[in-house]
Amino acid sequence: QLMESGGGLAHAGGSLRLSCAASGFTLDYWAIGWFRQAPGKEREGVSCISSNDDTIDYVDSVKGRFIISRDTAKNTVYLQMNSLKPEDTAVYYCATDLDRLCPPSTQIMNEYMNDYDYWGQGTQVTVSS
């Protein structure tokens, strides 16, 4: 099981760090993706980190602001979100399709979203202007 935490309310320009923790399996064996779903919009892939951390991709709207990382000792993947914007408001999910590699792009993450078998319950991020 996956569990996200760290969401909350932030002002525009602020920061939040989301965590994705696992129980029952070891996260660092697998690529982990972060997705988000804003009200009235489709879920979209935000970022992905591969099992050996050498493939990290971001959707264009968050490049330069968000950083995905992994702490093997804590069996946790993080999404550091800086310079937050109101359009970042969404429910954020972590997920894995039990593949060691990330898709070639976040666009491909969106196309193969149904292949992600393991999802967390989501954590709400709200950014006020």
Side-chain angles (χ1 to χ4, degrees):
Q1 290 184 337
L2 300 177
M3 180 173 295
E4 305 90 343
S5 62
L9 177 64
H11 293 294
S15 298
L16 288 171
R17 187 178 76 161
L18 306 183
S19 299
C20 174
S23 62
F25 66 99
T26 303
L27 277 183
D28 63 345
Y29 289 166
W30 312 112
I32 304 298
W34 281 99
F35 296 80
R36 67 185 179 184
Q37 187 164 18
K41 295 186 177 181
E42 294 186 350
R43 192 172 297 187
E44 68 168 348
V46 174
S47 185
C48 181
I49 183 168
S50 67
S51 61
N52 59 1
D53 298 354
D54 68 352
T55 303
I56 298 175
D57 191 38
Y58 301 92
V59 67
D60 287 346
S61 59
V62 308
K63 284 181 179 177
R65 300 188 297 120
F66 289 12
I67 302 171
I68 191 170
S69 63
R70 184 194 301 272
D71 186 328
T72 300
K74 295 183 177 179
N75 202 26
T76 301
V77 171
Y78 300 100
L79 186 68
Q80 177 68 42
M81 305 188 298
N82 302 319
S83 301
L84 283 164
K85 302 177 180 180
E87 51 264 42
D88 295 319
T89 295
V91 178
Y92 284 73
Y93 302 87
C94 62
T96 182
D97 59 355
L98 298 185
D99 194 321
R100 298 181 71 84
L101 299 177
C102 290
S105 69
T106 52
Q107 178 61 41
I108 302 298
M109 284 175 68
N110 296 338
E111 294 178 10
Y112 288 93
M113 200 175 301
N114 289 338
D115 290 350
Y116 284 78
D117 295 321
Y118 297 89
W119 292 81
Q121 82 290 348
T123 186
Q124 175 71 47
V125 171
T126 302
V127 184
S128 62
S129 58

